[in-house]
């Protein structure tokens, strides 16, 4: 597995992208996704428990479905998403 954090984007519609920051070597590994399809952007964190069968990071899906980007592009998207109101979900649960 890659030692470095990896950054991706995926076109959703009308020039709106999802952005992902994959921290595969963390304990636990985490994928942070910026979803800007709603009026208030959503920052989603998913932690992976690699000891569970089926809870794995599908790097092939990222490489096939997402375009790699630079950390600079990701940080710009994160800054824009968090510059106003936004929501945070961790493992599917809203953080209020």
């Amino acid at each position: 597995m890659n030692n470095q954090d990896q950054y991706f984007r995926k076109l959703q519609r009308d020039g709106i992208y999802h952005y992902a920051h994959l921290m595969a070597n963390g304990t636990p590994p985490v994928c942070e996704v910026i979803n800007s399809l709603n009026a208030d952007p959503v920052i989603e964190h998913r932690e992976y428990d690699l000891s569970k069968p089926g809870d794995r990071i599908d790097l092939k899906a990222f490489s096939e479905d997402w375009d790699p980007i630079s950390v600079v592009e990701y940080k710009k998207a994160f800054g824009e998403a968090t510059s106003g109101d936004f929501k945070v979900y961790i493992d599917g649960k809203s953080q209020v």
Side-chain angles (χ1 to χ4, degrees), residues 23-46:
M23 299 160 267
N25 289 320
T27 305
V30 174
C31 185
E32 175 179 81
V33 175
I34 302 167
N35 174 343
S36 297
L37 289 174
N38 302 315
D40 292 337
V42 174
I43 310 295
E44 301 173 72
H45 279 241
R46 168 135 192 261

PDB file of all heavy atoms in Angstrom, residues 23-46:
ATOM      1  N   MET A  23      -6.205   8.339   3.670  1.00  0.00           N
ATOM      2  CA  MET A  23      -5.109   8.190   4.639  1.00  0.00           C
ATOM      3  C   MET A  23      -5.015   6.707   4.974  1.00  0.00           C
ATOM      4  O   MET A  23      -5.437   6.250   6.031  1.00  0.00           O
ATOM      5  CB  MET A  23      -5.394   9.043   5.879  1.00  0.00           C
ATOM      6  CG  MET A  23      -5.492  10.534   5.541  1.00  0.00           C
ATOM      7  SD  MET A  23      -6.357  11.502   6.795  1.00  0.00           S
ATOM      8  CE  MET A  23      -8.027  11.476   6.140  1.00  0.00           C
ATOM      9  N   ALA A  24      -4.491   5.938   4.025  1.00  0.00           N
ATOM     10  CA  ALA A  24      -4.529   4.476   4.091  1.00  0.00           C
ATOM     11  C   ALA A  24      -3.603   3.894   5.140  1.00  0.00           C
ATOM     12  O   ALA A  24      -3.811   2.769   5.583  1.00  0.00           O
ATOM     13  CB  ALA A  24      -4.209   3.882   2.720  1.00  0.00           C
ATOM     14  N   ASN A  25      -2.584   4.617   5.550  1.00  0.00           N
ATOM     15  CA  ASN A  25      -1.626   4.061   6.496  1.00  0.00           C
ATOM     16  C   ASN A  25      -1.860   4.513   7.929  1.00  0.00           C
ATOM     17  O   ASN A  25      -1.063   4.230   8.806  1.00  0.00           O
ATOM     18  CB  ASN A  25      -0.193   4.390   6.068  1.00  0.00           C
ATOM     19  CG  ASN A  25       0.181   3.601   4.830  1.00  0.00           C
ATOM     20  OD1 ASN A  25      -0.158   2.437   4.712  1.00  0.00           O
ATOM     21  ND2 ASN A  25       0.852   4.245   3.904  1.00  0.00           N
ATOM     22  N   GLY A  26      -2.968   5.203   8.153  1.00  0.00           N
ATOM     23  CA  GLY A  26      -3.302   5.597   9.512  1.00  0.00           C
ATOM     24  C   GLY A  26      -3.812   4.400  10.305  1.00  0.00           C
ATOM     25  O   GLY A  26      -4.054   3.325   9.760  1.00  0.00           O
ATOM     26  N   THR A  27      -3.964   4.583  11.609  1.00  0.00           N
ATOM     27  CA  THR A  27      -4.519   3.532  12.442  1.00  0.00           C
ATOM     28  C   THR A  27      -5.716   4.107  13.181  1.00  0.00           C
ATOM     29  O   THR A  27      -5.519   4.822  14.157  1.00  0.00           O
ATOM     30  CB  THR A  27      -3.474   3.010  13.447  1.00  0.00           C
ATOM     31  OG1 THR A  27      -2.324   2.612  12.721  1.00  0.00           O
ATOM     32  CG2 THR A  27      -4.000   1.844  14.232  1.00  0.00           C
ATOM     33  N   PRO A  28      -6.926   3.891  12.752  1.00  0.00           N
ATOM     34  CA  PRO A  28      -7.284   3.093  11.582  1.00  0.00           C
ATOM     35  C   PRO A  28      -7.149   3.914  10.298  1.00  0.00           C
ATOM     36  O   PRO A  28      -7.107   5.147  10.360  1.00  0.00           O
ATOM     37  CB  PRO A  28      -8.754   2.752  11.840  1.00  0.00           C
ATOM     38  CG  PRO A  28      -9.276   3.958  12.568  1.00  0.00           C
ATOM     39  CD  PRO A  28      -8.115   4.407  13.441  1.00  0.00           C
ATOM     40  N   PRO A  29      -7.112   3.240   9.144  1.00  0.00           N
ATOM     41  CA  PRO A  29      -7.122   3.990   7.885  1.00  0.00           C
ATOM     42  C   PRO A  29      -8.423   4.795   7.766  1.00  0.00           C
ATOM     43  O   PRO A  29      -9.466   4.365   8.253  1.00  0.00           O
ATOM     44  CB  PRO A  29      -7.071   2.897   6.811  1.00  0.00           C
ATOM     45  CG  PRO A  29      -6.568   1.687   7.523  1.00  0.00           C
ATOM     46  CD  PRO A  29      -7.035   1.805   8.936  1.00  0.00           C
ATOM     47  N   VAL A  30      -8.331   5.958   7.152  1.00  0.00           N
ATOM     48  CA  VAL A  30      -9.482   6.861   7.033  1.00  0.00           C
ATOM     49  C   VAL A  30      -9.560   7.398   5.607  1.00  0.00           C
ATOM     50  O   VAL A  30      -8.541   7.694   4.983  1.00  0.00           O
ATOM     51  CB  VAL A  30      -9.348   8.055   8.015  1.00  0.00           C
ATOM     52  CG1 VAL A  30     -10.451   9.071   7.798  1.00  0.00           C
ATOM     53  CG2 VAL A  30      -9.327   7.585   9.450  1.00  0.00           C
ATOM     54  N   CYS A  31     -10.782   7.556   5.130  1.00  0.00           N
ATOM     55  CA  CYS A  31     -11.015   8.273   3.879  1.00  0.00           C
ATOM     56  C   CYS A  31     -11.931   9.447   4.210  1.00  0.00           C
ATOM     57  O   CYS A  31     -13.003   9.278   4.795  1.00  0.00           O
ATOM     58  CB  CYS A  31     -11.671   7.378   2.834  1.00  0.00           C
ATOM     59  SG  CYS A  31     -11.841   8.209   1.239  1.00  0.00           S
ATOM     60  N   GLU A  32     -11.485  10.646   3.863  1.00  0.00           N
ATOM     61  CA  GLU A  32     -12.270  11.870   4.061  1.00  0.00           C
ATOM     62  C   GLU A  32     -12.790  12.285   2.694  1.00  0.00           C
ATOM     63  O   GLU A  32     -12.016  12.365   1.746  1.00  0.00           O
ATOM     64  CB  GLU A  32     -11.366  12.950   4.631  1.00  0.00           C
ATOM     65  CG  GLU A  32     -12.011  14.296   4.779  1.00  0.00           C
ATOM     66  CD  GLU A  32     -11.038  15.289   5.368  1.00  0.00           C
ATOM     67  OE1 GLU A  32     -10.201  15.815   4.600  1.00  0.00           O
ATOM     68  OE2 GLU A  32     -11.094  15.521   6.577  1.00  0.00           O
ATOM     69  N   VAL A  33     -14.089  12.516   2.591  1.00  0.00           N
ATOM     70  CA  VAL A  33     -14.702  12.905   1.316  1.00  0.00           C
ATOM     71  C   VAL A  33     -15.426  14.228   1.499  1.00  0.00           C
ATOM     72  O   VAL A  33     -16.150  14.419   2.472  1.00  0.00           O
ATOM     73  CB  VAL A  33     -15.682  11.824   0.804  1.00  0.00           C
ATOM     74  CG1 VAL A  33     -16.405  12.293  -0.455  1.00  0.00           C
ATOM     75  CG2 VAL A  33     -14.944  10.522   0.523  1.00  0.00           C
ATOM     76  N   ILE A  34     -15.219  15.120   0.548  1.00  0.00           N
ATOM     77  CA  ILE A  34     -15.945  16.389   0.501  1.00  0.00           C
ATOM     78  C   ILE A  34     -17.049  16.242  -0.536  1.00  0.00           C
ATOM     79  O   ILE A  34     -16.773  15.989  -1.709  1.00  0.00           O
ATOM     80  CB  ILE A  34     -15.020  17.551   0.100  1.00  0.00           C
ATOM     81  CG1 ILE A  34     -13.850  17.682   1.071  1.00  0.00           C
ATOM     82  CG2 ILE A  34     -15.811  18.852  -0.005  1.00  0.00           C
ATOM     83  CD1 ILE A  34     -12.744  18.582   0.568  1.00  0.00           C
ATOM     84  N   ASN A  35     -18.290  16.389  -0.098  1.00  0.00           N
ATOM     85  CA  ASN A  35     -19.452  16.272  -0.964  1.00  0.00           C
ATOM     86  C   ASN A  35     -20.104  17.651  -1.029  1.00  0.00           C
ATOM     87  O   ASN A  35     -20.620  18.138  -0.029  1.00  0.00           O
ATOM     88  CB  ASN A  35     -20.414  15.225  -0.389  1.00  0.00           C
ATOM     89  CG  ASN A  35     -21.721  15.132  -1.128  1.00  0.00           C
ATOM     90  OD1 ASN A  35     -22.101  16.016  -1.889  1.00  0.00           O
ATOM     91  ND2 ASN A  35     -22.445  14.061  -0.887  1.00  0.00           N
ATOM     92  N   SER A  36     -20.083  18.268  -2.202  1.00  0.00           N
ATOM     93  CA  SER A  36     -20.609  19.632  -2.348  1.00  0.00           C
ATOM     94  C   SER A  36     -21.896  19.685  -3.156  1.00  0.00           C
ATOM     95  O   SER A  36     -22.253  20.726  -3.694  1.00  0.00           O
ATOM     96  CB  SER A  36     -19.550  20.516  -3.014  1.00  0.00           C
ATOM     97  OG  SER A  36     -18.411  20.594  -2.194  1.00  0.00           O
ATOM     98  N   LEU A  37     -22.623  18.572  -3.236  1.00  0.00           N
ATOM     99  CA  LEU A  37     -23.860  18.567  -4.016  1.00  0.00           C
ATOM    100  C   LEU A  37     -25.006  19.282  -3.310  1.00  0.00           C
ATOM    101  O   LEU A  37     -25.937  19.739  -3.950  1.00  0.00           O
ATOM    102  CB  LEU A  37     -24.283  17.125  -4.340  1.00  0.00           C
ATOM    103  CG  LEU A  37     -23.395  16.405  -5.363  1.00  0.00           C
ATOM    104  CD1 LEU A  37     -23.821  14.943  -5.481  1.00  0.00           C
ATOM    105  CD2 LEU A  37     -23.457  17.088  -6.713  1.00  0.00           C
ATOM    106  N   ASN A  38     -24.944  19.374  -1.989  1.00  0.00           N
ATOM    107  CA  ASN A  38     -26.010  20.022  -1.217  1.00  0.00           C
ATOM    108  C   ASN A  38     -25.690  21.494  -0.979  1.00  0.00           C
ATOM    109  O   ASN A  38     -24.559  21.928  -1.179  1.00  0.00           O
ATOM    110  CB  ASN A  38     -26.188  19.315   0.135  1.00  0.00           C
ATOM    111  CG  ASN A  38     -26.496  17.852  -0.047  1.00  0.00           C
ATOM    112  OD1 ASN A  38     -27.324  17.488  -0.879  1.00  0.00           O
ATOM    113  ND2 ASN A  38     -25.831  17.012   0.723  1.00  0.00           N
ATOM    114  N   ALA A  39     -26.691  22.246  -0.517  1.00  0.00           N
ATOM    115  CA  ALA A  39     -26.480  23.656  -0.220  1.00  0.00           C
ATOM    116  C   ALA A  39     -25.358  23.826   0.808  1.00  0.00           C
ATOM    117  O   ALA A  39     -24.505  24.699   0.675  1.00  0.00           O
ATOM    118  CB  ALA A  39     -27.771  24.292   0.279  1.00  0.00           C
ATOM    119  N   ASP A  40     -25.385  22.991   1.850  1.00  0.00           N
ATOM    120  CA  ASP A  40     -24.297  22.970   2.826  1.00  0.00           C
ATOM    121  C   ASP A  40     -23.416  21.765   2.515  1.00  0.00           C
ATOM    122  O   ASP A  40     -23.891  20.628   2.562  1.00  0.00           O
ATOM    123  CB  ASP A  40     -24.837  22.841   4.258  1.00  0.00           C
ATOM    124  CG  ASP A  40     -25.597  24.073   4.709  1.00  0.00           C
ATOM    125  OD1 ASP A  40     -25.362  25.160   4.143  1.00  0.00           O
ATOM    126  OD2 ASP A  40     -26.424  23.943   5.633  1.00  0.00           O
ATOM    127  N   PRO A  41     -22.151  21.980   2.184  1.00  0.00           N
ATOM    128  CA  PRO A  41     -21.268  20.846   1.882  1.00  0.00           C
ATOM    129  C   PRO A  41     -21.194  19.866   3.058  1.00  0.00           C
ATOM    130  O   PRO A  41     -21.447  20.229   4.214  1.00  0.00           O
ATOM    131  CB  PRO A  41     -19.913  21.507   1.651  1.00  0.00           C
ATOM    132  CG  PRO A  41     -20.220  22.922   1.312  1.00  0.00           C
ATOM    133  CD  PRO A  41     -21.473  23.250   2.074  1.00  0.00           C
ATOM    134  N   VAL A  42     -20.866  18.633   2.740  1.00  0.00           N
ATOM    135  CA  VAL A  42     -20.736  17.573   3.734  1.00  0.00           C
ATOM    136  C   VAL A  42     -19.306  17.048   3.706  1.00  0.00           C
ATOM    137  O   VAL A  42     -18.770  16.745   2.637  1.00  0.00           O
ATOM    138  CB  VAL A  42     -21.726  16.419   3.449  1.00  0.00           C
ATOM    139  CG1 VAL A  42     -21.495  15.253   4.401  1.00  0.00           C
ATOM    140  CG2 VAL A  42     -23.161  16.913   3.519  1.00  0.00           C
ATOM    141  N   ILE A  43     -18.693  16.976   4.890  1.00  0.00           N
ATOM    142  CA  ILE A  43     -17.381  16.351   5.045  1.00  0.00           C
ATOM    143  C   ILE A  43     -17.649  14.996   5.688  1.00  0.00           C
ATOM    144  O   ILE A  43     -18.211  14.936   6.787  1.00  0.00           O
ATOM    145  CB  ILE A  43     -16.435  17.181   5.946  1.00  0.00           C
ATOM    146  CG1 ILE A  43     -16.379  18.641   5.508  1.00  0.00           C
ATOM    147  CG2 ILE A  43     -15.062  16.531   6.019  1.00  0.00           C
ATOM    148  CD1 ILE A  43     -15.787  18.897   4.159  1.00  0.00           C
ATOM    149  N   GLU A  44     -17.277  13.935   5.002  1.00  0.00           N
ATOM    150  CA  GLU A  44     -17.527  12.585   5.500  1.00  0.00           C
ATOM    151  C   GLU A  44     -16.207  11.905   5.820  1.00  0.00           C
ATOM    152  O   GLU A  44     -15.278  11.955   5.016  1.00  0.00           O
ATOM    153  CB  GLU A  44     -18.257  11.754   4.455  1.00  0.00           C
ATOM    154  CG  GLU A  44     -19.586  12.323   4.016  1.00  0.00           C
ATOM    155  CD  GLU A  44     -20.185  11.551   2.869  1.00  0.00           C
ATOM    156  OE1 GLU A  44     -20.636  10.417   3.101  1.00  0.00           O
ATOM    157  OE2 GLU A  44     -20.193  12.075   1.744  1.00  0.00           O
ATOM    158  N   HIS A  45     -16.151  11.270   6.980  1.00  0.00           N
ATOM    159  CA  HIS A  45     -14.992  10.463   7.370  1.00  0.00           C
ATOM    160  C   HIS A  45     -15.453   9.025   7.496  1.00  0.00           C
ATOM    161  O   HIS A  45     -16.472   8.756   8.122  1.00  0.00           O
ATOM    162  CB  HIS A  45     -14.439  10.909   8.730  1.00  0.00           C
ATOM    163  CG  HIS A  45     -13.565  12.097   8.653  1.00  0.00           C
ATOM    164  ND1 HIS A  45     -12.261  12.075   9.035  1.00  0.00           N
ATOM    165  CD2 HIS A  45     -13.796  13.353   8.230  1.00  0.00           C
ATOM    166  CE1 HIS A  45     -11.731  13.261   8.852  1.00  0.00           C
ATOM    167  NE2 HIS A  45     -12.651  14.059   8.378  1.00  0.00           N
ATOM    168  N   ARG A  46     -14.701   8.128   6.909  1.00  0.00           N
ATOM    169  CA  ARG A  46     -14.982   6.702   7.092  1.00  0.00           C
ATOM    170  C   ARG A  46     -13.726   6.033   7.590  1.00  0.00           C
ATOM    171  O   ARG A  46     -12.678   6.100   6.947  1.00  0.00           O
ATOM    172  CB  ARG A  46     -15.413   6.054   5.786  1.00  0.00           C
ATOM    173  CG  ARG A  46     -15.419   4.529   5.917  1.00  0.00           C
ATOM    174  CD  ARG A  46     -16.652   3.881   5.329  1.00  0.00           C
ATOM    175  NE  ARG A  46     -16.694   2.486   5.754  1.00  0.00           N
ATOM    176  CZ  ARG A  46     -16.299   1.461   5.016  1.00  0.00           C
ATOM    177  NH1 ARG A  46     -15.849   1.648   3.806  1.00  0.00           N
ATOM    178  NH2 ARG A  46     -16.365   0.234   5.485  1.00  0.00           N
TER     179      ARG A  46
END
